[in-house]
Amino acid sequence: MGPELTVPPIFSPIPPAIHPRHAAIDARTAAWAEAFSIGNPELRARLVRHDIGTFSAMILPEGREEVVSILADFVLWLFGVDDGYCEESDLGHRPGDLAAVLHRLLRVAQNPDTPLLESDPIATGLRDLRARISRHGTHGQAARWIDALREYFFSVIWEANHRQSGTVPDLNDYTLMRLYDGATTVVLPLLEIAHGYELQPHERDHPATRAAAEMASFIITWDNDILSHHKESRSPGYWLNVLRVLEHHHQLDPDEALAVAVAQRDRVMCLYLRLLRDLTPRASPQLHRYLASITHFIRGAQDWGISSHRYTTPDDPADLPTTFSDVPTDSSEEPLDIPVITWWWDLVPEGTGATNIEAVVPTAELVAPA
């Protein structure tokens, strides 16, 4: 069992928002999990209590309700894979066998009629998700969702290799892996689909747009590592997050590791705001909407992280904050000493930014009616 940590209020300059139909979305996702038998009965019973539909409603507070439901069902499905296949089964300790299963699932996503895993509930749920994504999105958006799913699968195999050997990656490798195994990139196509537009390649693939998405992934996954530490460290099996990486490779005690991780995510949050301030004035309406949705994703993950039973663990309560801070612990404009992400800082003019989201994206873009 890991040490008890008191997580301080984390810096969040982004206002909260939630889709007005969040309760109905959450109820439908619970029913979807039962209908498709996602996970074993014990896992499924836990997942339907985690307010995953509410989380999706926070990510897409103004999105089309049917697409918010797709996202909610998909996030629950991802937990069915991550918890059921990777963390709570022997398969998660056999990267070769895990790769074979995930490769078959990827083929199901590419071609749902392929006669593979026909009696597997995870595959059946994936077929349903693919059909609904194709119904509401374009062929290009479905293809990007599948490509991102491939990235996610590749990263969880990487993690399974560490789980098998009991090793801890260094901070640079962990950061690279975490940008994908947090499954944030798989959500991005749904942000477009939910608002009925498709970003043009010259905007989506522009380095500044890619950097914004990666920064959001970093913030979301570091926040998740911080807020899930209590849950993960009490797991009977192998667990891995940034606090463990910092303790293992930088000889920090748990409180020191927590402080460093908080400072890292604060510095990236400030960089993200500076990038938005530089990028937003020259963005098309579609890119403006996309950046606002990514920003909602960051705050939604924070609100869900401090409130969901998945992380508050009522039977063994985690010492998590109930509020957020208006002030970062680290607002330095110097790059973090993590080589795989230092290129972000090259894109942002120095001295461009406050830590106030309203100076970057108008409040009306970020707050939806409750």
Side-chain angles (χ1 to χ4, degrees):
M1 181 178 293
E4 183 65 48
L5 289 179
T6 298
V7 178
I10 57 178
F11 170 54
S12 185
I14 305 165
I18 192 167
H19 196 284
R21 294 277 295 164
H22 61 89
I25 292 164
D26 197 59
R28 279 201 301 272
T29 290
W32 185 86
E34 294 293 345
F36 285 89
S37 300
I38 302 300
N40 63 45
E42 179 184 354
L43 173 59
R44 187 162 64 251
R46 292 201 311 269
L47 292 177
V48 299
R49 294 196 301 268
H50 290 169
D51 302 318
I52 293 171
T54 300
F55 175 34
S56 298
M58 293 171 177
I59 297 172
L60 290 168
E62 297 175 316
R64 291 185 288 174
E65 184 177 342
E66 58 271 31
V67 183
V68 183
S69 280
I70 295 172
L71 176 58
D73 297 349
F74 179 47
V75 172
L76 188 141
W77 182 90
L78 285 167
F79 283 128
V81 172
D82 192 52
D83 292 359
Y85 278 8
C86 301
E87 294 187 2
E88 299 180 10
S89 77
D90 291 340
L91 190 61
H93 292 78
R94 306 196 310 273
D97 293 337
L98 179 62
V101 171
L102 296 181
H103 193 63
R104 295 184 188 104
L105 283 175
L106 188 65
R107 191 59 176 173
V108 167
Q110 291 171 322
N111 296 91
D113 293 335
T114 301
L116 288 172
L117 304 173
E118 293 179 294
S119 61
D120 186 330
I122 289 289
T124 303
L126 182 60
R127 287 184 169 93
D128 176 73
L129 291 166
R130 167 59 198 276
R132 292 156 68 195
I133 286 171
S134 295
R135 186 181 313 134
H136 294 285
T138 68
H139 292 304
Q141 287 168 328
R144 285 190 295 277
W145 175 73
I146 293 165
D147 286 344
L149 196 62
R150 181 185 293 107
E151 291 177 339
Y152 166 69
F153 286 168
F154 186 72
S155 65
V156 299
I157 294 164
W158 188 1
E159 185 176 5
N161 186 61
H162 284 290
R163 188 181 294 111
Q164 180 188 51
S165 59
T167 53
V168 178
D170 64 26
L171 182 60
N172 198 49
D173 274 353
Y174 179 74
T175 302
L176 181 58
M177 179 170 70
R178 200 70 173 108
L179 290 175
Y180 302 105
D181 84 341
T184 51
T185 59
V186 199
V187 170
L188 299 181
L190 290 165
L191 303 183
E192 297 179 30
I193 296 170
H195 289 279
Y197 68 91
E198 184 169 17
L199 274 181
Q200 294 300 304
H202 75 274
E203 287 195 302
R204 183 187 303 102
D205 299 331
H206 191 282
T209 308
R210 290 196 300 108
E214 286 195 2
M215 290 178 203
S217 293
F218 182 96
I219 296 163
I220 290 165
T221 54
W222 252 235
D223 286 349
N224 180 260
D225 282 2
I226 291 165
L227 297 174
S228 70
H229 177 271
H230 178 91
K231 168 186 175 291
E232 299 296 329
S233 65
R234 280 151 175 75
S235 168
Y238 176 89
W239 62 280
L240 181 63
N241 72 19
V242 68
L243 273 67
R244 187 174 184 200
V245 170
L246 291 168
E247 290 176 40
H248 184 85
H249 289 286
H250 296 262
Q251 291 75 53
L252 302 179
D253 67 35
D255 288 312
E256 290 170 337
L258 174 62
V260 169
V262 169
Q264 289 171 337
R265 58 85 57 204
D266 283 3
R267 194 184 299 191
V268 174
M269 175 68 87
C270 293
L271 180 68
Y272 176 76
L273 296 178
R274 294 198 298 272
L275 178 63
L276 288 192
R277 184 171 183 172
D278 183 62
L279 181 58
T280 300
R282 49 193 170 88
S284 69
Q286 292 80 14
L287 181 56
H288 206 278
R289 177 69 265 175
Y290 183 71
L291 296 172
S293 293
I294 292 174
T295 305
H296 279 307
F297 190 5
I298 294 172
R299 177 59 193 247
Q302 293 164 348
D303 283 322
W304 185 65
I306 67 169
S307 63
S308 173
H309 284 182
R310 183 173 179 84
Y311 305 116
T312 61
T313 58
D315 294 337
D316 176 21
D319 194 358
L320 300 182
T322 57
T323 59
F324 296 96
S325 172
D326 295 327
V327 181
T329 65
D330 185 345
S331 59
S332 170
E333 296 188 10
E334 291 297 314
L336 291 174
D337 187 19
I338 304 176
V340 294
I341 61 172
T342 53
W343 71 278
W344 297 342
W345 277 262
D346 296 335
L347 300 173
V348 183
E350 293 184 4
T352 58
T355 56
N356 188 321
I357 192 69
E358 285 82 4
V360 179
V361 181
T363 304
E365 291 281 342
L366 289 174
V367 180

Short mmCIF file of all heavy atoms in Angstrom, two decimals, residues 19 56 59-71 133 136-138 141 187-198 289 293:
data_model
loop_
_atom_site.label_atom_id
_atom_site.label_comp_id
_atom_site.label_asym_id
_atom_site.label_seq_id
_atom_site.Cartn_x
_atom_site.Cartn_y
_atom_site.Cartn_z
N HIS A 19 -23.13 19.55 -20.00
CA HIS A 19 -24.27 19.44 -20.89
C HIS A 19 -25.55 19.36 -20.06
O HIS A 19 -25.60 18.65 -19.04
CB HIS A 19 -24.13 18.18 -21.74
CG HIS A 19 -25.01 18.14 -22.94
ND1 HIS A 19 -26.37 17.87 -22.85
CD2 HIS A 19 -24.74 18.33 -24.26
CE1 HIS A 19 -26.89 17.90 -24.06
NE2 HIS A 19 -25.93 18.18 -24.94
N SER A 56 -18.31 12.82 -19.80
CA SER A 56 -18.45 13.16 -21.22
C SER A 56 -19.28 14.42 -21.41
O SER A 56 -19.01 15.22 -22.32
CB SER A 56 -19.07 11.99 -21.97
OG SER A 56 -18.23 10.86 -21.88
N ILE A 59 -17.02 17.29 -21.01
CA ILE A 59 -16.12 17.48 -22.15
C ILE A 59 -16.84 18.19 -23.30
O ILE A 59 -16.26 19.05 -23.98
CB ILE A 59 -15.57 16.13 -22.65
CG1 ILE A 59 -14.71 15.47 -21.55
CG2 ILE A 59 -14.76 16.30 -23.93
CD1 ILE A 59 -14.29 14.05 -21.90
N LEU A 60 -18.12 17.84 -23.50
CA LEU A 60 -18.89 18.36 -24.63
C LEU A 60 -20.18 19.03 -24.13
O LEU A 60 -21.29 18.56 -24.41
CB LEU A 60 -19.23 17.22 -25.60
CG LEU A 60 -18.06 16.65 -26.39
CD1 LEU A 60 -18.46 15.34 -27.07
CD2 LEU A 60 -17.54 17.66 -27.41
N PRO A 61 -20.05 20.12 -23.40
CA PRO A 61 -21.25 20.73 -22.80
C PRO A 61 -22.24 21.28 -23.81
O PRO A 61 -23.41 21.47 -23.49
CB PRO A 61 -20.67 21.85 -21.92
CG PRO A 61 -19.35 22.15 -22.51
CD PRO A 61 -18.83 20.85 -23.03
N GLU A 62 -21.79 21.55 -25.02
CA GLU A 62 -22.68 22.07 -26.06
C GLU A 62 -22.78 21.14 -27.26
O GLU A 62 -23.30 21.51 -28.30
CB GLU A 62 -22.19 23.45 -26.52
CG GLU A 62 -22.21 24.51 -25.42
CD GLU A 62 -21.60 25.81 -25.88
OE1 GLU A 62 -20.52 25.78 -26.52
OE2 GLU A 62 -22.19 26.86 -25.60
N GLY A 63 -22.27 19.91 -27.12
CA GLY A 63 -22.26 18.98 -28.23
C GLY A 63 -23.61 18.34 -28.48
O GLY A 63 -24.51 18.37 -27.63
N ARG A 64 -23.74 17.74 -29.67
CA ARG A 64 -24.97 17.00 -29.99
C ARG A 64 -25.11 15.84 -29.01
O ARG A 64 -24.17 15.06 -28.81
CB ARG A 64 -24.91 16.49 -31.42
CG ARG A 64 -24.98 17.59 -32.48
CD ARG A 64 -25.05 17.00 -33.87
NE ARG A 64 -23.76 16.42 -34.28
CZ ARG A 64 -23.60 15.74 -35.42
NH1 ARG A 64 -24.63 15.51 -36.21
NH2 ARG A 64 -22.41 15.26 -35.73
N GLU A 65 -26.29 15.71 -28.44
CA GLU A 65 -26.48 14.74 -27.36
C GLU A 65 -26.14 13.32 -27.78
O GLU A 65 -25.53 12.57 -27.01
CB GLU A 65 -27.93 14.81 -26.86
CG GLU A 65 -28.19 13.90 -25.66
CD GLU A 65 -29.60 14.03 -25.12
OE1 GLU A 65 -30.28 15.03 -25.44
OE2 GLU A 65 -30.03 13.12 -24.37
N GLU A 66 -26.48 12.94 -29.00
CA GLU A 66 -26.21 11.58 -29.43
C GLU A 66 -24.70 11.31 -29.51
O GLU A 66 -24.24 10.19 -29.25
CB GLU A 66 -26.87 11.28 -30.78
CG GLU A 66 -26.47 12.18 -31.92
CD GLU A 66 -27.33 13.43 -32.05
OE1 GLU A 66 -27.83 13.93 -31.03
OE2 GLU A 66 -27.49 13.91 -33.20
N VAL A 67 -23.91 12.34 -29.82
CA VAL A 67 -22.46 12.16 -29.89
C VAL A 67 -21.86 12.19 -28.49
O VAL A 67 -20.88 11.49 -28.21
CB VAL A 67 -21.82 13.21 -30.81
CG1 VAL A 67 -20.32 12.97 -30.93
CG2 VAL A 67 -22.46 13.18 -32.20
N VAL A 68 -22.41 12.99 -27.60
CA VAL A 68 -21.96 12.95 -26.20
C VAL A 68 -22.17 11.55 -25.64
O VAL A 68 -21.32 11.03 -24.90
CB VAL A 68 -22.69 14.00 -25.34
CG1 VAL A 68 -22.14 14.00 -23.91
CG2 VAL A 68 -22.55 15.40 -25.94
N SER A 69 -23.26 10.91 -26.02
CA SER A 69 -23.50 9.53 -25.58
C SER A 69 -22.50 8.56 -26.20
O SER A 69 -22.07 7.61 -25.53
CB SER A 69 -24.93 9.10 -25.93
OG SER A 69 -25.85 9.61 -24.98
N ILE A 70 -22.14 8.77 -27.45
CA ILE A 70 -21.10 7.92 -28.06
C ILE A 70 -19.81 8.06 -27.27
O ILE A 70 -19.15 7.06 -26.94
CB ILE A 70 -20.86 8.31 -29.53
CG1 ILE A 70 -22.09 8.02 -30.38
CG2 ILE A 70 -19.65 7.55 -30.09
CD1 ILE A 70 -21.99 8.56 -31.81
N LEU A 71 -19.43 9.29 -26.95
CA LEU A 71 -18.20 9.51 -26.19
C LEU A 71 -18.28 8.83 -24.83
O LEU A 71 -17.33 8.17 -24.39
CB LEU A 71 -17.94 11.01 -26.02
CG LEU A 71 -16.74 11.38 -25.15
CD1 LEU A 71 -15.45 10.78 -25.68
CD2 LEU A 71 -16.62 12.89 -25.03
N ILE A 133 -20.18 6.10 -34.84
CA ILE A 133 -19.23 7.13 -35.28
C ILE A 133 -19.36 7.35 -36.79
O ILE A 133 -19.36 8.49 -37.27
CB ILE A 133 -17.79 6.73 -34.88
CG1 ILE A 133 -17.62 6.93 -33.37
CG2 ILE A 133 -16.76 7.55 -35.65
CD1 ILE A 133 -16.34 6.37 -32.81
N HIS A 136 -22.52 9.45 -37.64
CA HIS A 136 -22.54 10.87 -37.31
C HIS A 136 -21.32 11.64 -37.81
O HIS A 136 -21.36 12.87 -37.87
CB HIS A 136 -22.66 11.04 -35.78
CG HIS A 136 -23.95 10.56 -35.23
ND1 HIS A 136 -25.13 11.26 -35.37
CD2 HIS A 136 -24.26 9.43 -34.55
CE1 HIS A 136 -26.11 10.59 -34.78
NE2 HIS A 136 -25.62 9.48 -34.28
N GLY A 137 -20.25 10.93 -38.16
CA GLY A 137 -19.04 11.59 -38.63
C GLY A 137 -18.74 11.25 -40.08
O GLY A 137 -19.49 10.54 -40.74
N THR A 138 -17.63 11.77 -40.57
CA THR A 138 -17.20 11.51 -41.94
C THR A 138 -16.29 10.28 -41.98
O THR A 138 -15.82 9.80 -40.94
CB THR A 138 -16.45 12.71 -42.50
OG1 THR A 138 -15.20 12.85 -41.80
CG2 THR A 138 -17.26 14.00 -42.35
N GLN A 141 -13.03 11.28 -40.36
CA GLN A 141 -13.05 11.31 -38.90
C GLN A 141 -13.02 9.90 -38.32
O GLN A 141 -12.34 9.65 -37.31
CB GLN A 141 -14.28 12.09 -38.43
CG GLN A 141 -14.14 13.58 -38.67
CD GLN A 141 -15.44 14.35 -38.49
OE1 GLN A 141 -16.54 13.82 -38.77
NE2 GLN A 141 -15.35 15.59 -38.06
N VAL A 187 -10.14 10.64 -28.18
CA VAL A 187 -11.33 11.48 -27.96
C VAL A 187 -11.41 12.60 -28.99
O VAL A 187 -12.50 13.06 -29.36
CB VAL A 187 -11.30 12.06 -26.53
CG1 VAL A 187 -12.38 13.13 -26.33
CG2 VAL A 187 -11.45 10.96 -25.50
N LEU A 188 -10.26 13.04 -29.51
CA LEU A 188 -10.22 14.27 -30.31
C LEU A 188 -11.14 14.25 -31.53
O LEU A 188 -11.82 15.26 -31.79
CB LEU A 188 -8.78 14.58 -30.72
CG LEU A 188 -7.80 14.81 -29.56
CD1 LEU A 188 -6.41 15.13 -30.10
CD2 LEU A 188 -8.29 15.90 -28.62
N PRO A 189 -11.22 13.17 -32.33
CA PRO A 189 -12.16 13.21 -33.46
C PRO A 189 -13.61 13.41 -33.03
O PRO A 189 -14.40 14.03 -33.77
CB PRO A 189 -11.96 11.83 -34.12
CG PRO A 189 -10.59 11.42 -33.73
CD PRO A 189 -10.41 11.94 -32.33
N LEU A 190 -13.96 12.94 -31.86
CA LEU A 190 -15.34 13.09 -31.39
C LEU A 190 -15.65 14.54 -31.02
O LEU A 190 -16.83 14.94 -31.04
CB LEU A 190 -15.59 12.18 -30.20
CG LEU A 190 -15.63 10.69 -30.56
CD1 LEU A 190 -15.52 9.82 -29.31
CD2 LEU A 190 -16.90 10.34 -31.32
N LEU A 191 -14.64 15.34 -30.71
CA LEU A 191 -14.88 16.75 -30.45
C LEU A 191 -15.39 17.45 -31.69
O LEU A 191 -16.27 18.32 -31.62
CB LEU A 191 -13.59 17.43 -29.97
CG LEU A 191 -12.89 16.85 -28.73
CD1 LEU A 191 -11.68 17.69 -28.37
CD2 LEU A 191 -13.85 16.73 -27.56
N GLU A 192 -14.85 17.07 -32.85
CA GLU A 192 -15.33 17.61 -34.12
C GLU A 192 -16.74 17.09 -34.44
O GLU A 192 -17.65 17.86 -34.78
CB GLU A 192 -14.39 17.23 -35.26
CG GLU A 192 -12.98 17.76 -35.15
CD GLU A 192 -12.12 17.30 -36.32
OE1 GLU A 192 -12.67 17.09 -37.42
OE2 GLU A 192 -10.91 17.14 -36.14
N ILE A 193 -16.89 15.78 -34.34
CA ILE A 193 -18.17 15.16 -34.71
C ILE A 193 -19.31 15.73 -33.89
O ILE A 193 -20.41 15.97 -34.40
CB ILE A 193 -18.07 13.63 -34.55
CG1 ILE A 193 -17.04 13.06 -35.52
CG2 ILE A 193 -19.43 12.96 -34.79
CD1 ILE A 193 -16.71 11.59 -35.27
N ALA A 194 -19.05 15.99 -32.62
CA ALA A 194 -20.11 16.47 -31.74
C ALA A 194 -20.63 17.84 -32.12
O ALA A 194 -21.76 18.20 -31.77
CB ALA A 194 -19.61 16.50 -30.29
N HIS A 195 -19.82 18.61 -32.85
CA HIS A 195 -20.24 19.95 -33.25
C HIS A 195 -20.47 20.07 -34.75
O HIS A 195 -20.68 21.17 -35.26
CB HIS A 195 -19.22 20.99 -32.77
CG HIS A 195 -19.24 21.18 -31.28
ND1 HIS A 195 -20.16 21.98 -30.64
CD2 HIS A 195 -18.46 20.66 -30.30
CE1 HIS A 195 -19.94 21.95 -29.34
NE2 HIS A 195 -18.91 21.15 -29.10
N GLY A 196 -20.40 18.93 -35.46
CA GLY A 196 -20.80 18.91 -36.85
C GLY A 196 -19.87 19.61 -37.81
O GLY A 196 -20.32 20.19 -38.81
N TYR A 197 -18.58 19.58 -37.56
CA TYR A 197 -17.62 20.16 -38.50
C TYR A 197 -16.43 19.22 -38.64
O TYR A 197 -16.28 18.27 -37.86
CB TYR A 197 -17.14 21.54 -38.01
CG TYR A 197 -16.27 21.48 -36.77
CD1 TYR A 197 -14.89 21.35 -36.85
CD2 TYR A 197 -16.85 21.51 -35.49
CE1 TYR A 197 -14.10 21.27 -35.71
CE2 TYR A 197 -16.07 21.43 -34.35
CZ TYR A 197 -14.69 21.31 -34.47
OH TYR A 197 -13.93 21.21 -33.34
N GLU A 198 -15.58 19.50 -39.61
CA GLU A 198 -14.36 18.73 -39.79
C GLU A 198 -13.21 19.70 -40.06
O GLU A 198 -13.27 20.47 -41.02
CB GLU A 198 -14.50 17.74 -40.95
CG GLU A 198 -13.28 16.84 -41.11
CD GLU A 198 -13.54 15.70 -42.09
OE1 GLU A 198 -14.51 15.79 -42.86
OE2 GLU A 198 -12.78 14.71 -42.08
N ARG A 289 -13.46 26.55 -32.38
CA ARG A 289 -14.36 25.62 -31.68
C ARG A 289 -13.57 24.42 -31.15
O ARG A 289 -13.82 23.94 -30.03
CB ARG A 289 -15.44 25.16 -32.65
CG ARG A 289 -16.43 24.15 -32.16
CD ARG A 289 -17.35 24.70 -31.10
NE ARG A 289 -16.86 24.41 -29.76
CZ ARG A 289 -17.41 24.85 -28.65
NH1 ARG A 289 -18.47 25.62 -28.69
NH2 ARG A 289 -16.90 24.53 -27.48
N SER A 293 -13.10 23.16 -27.30
CA SER A 293 -13.48 21.82 -26.86
C SER A 293 -12.33 21.13 -26.13
O SER A 293 -12.54 20.44 -25.12
CB SER A 293 -13.92 20.98 -28.06
OG SER A 293 -15.11 21.46 -28.63
#
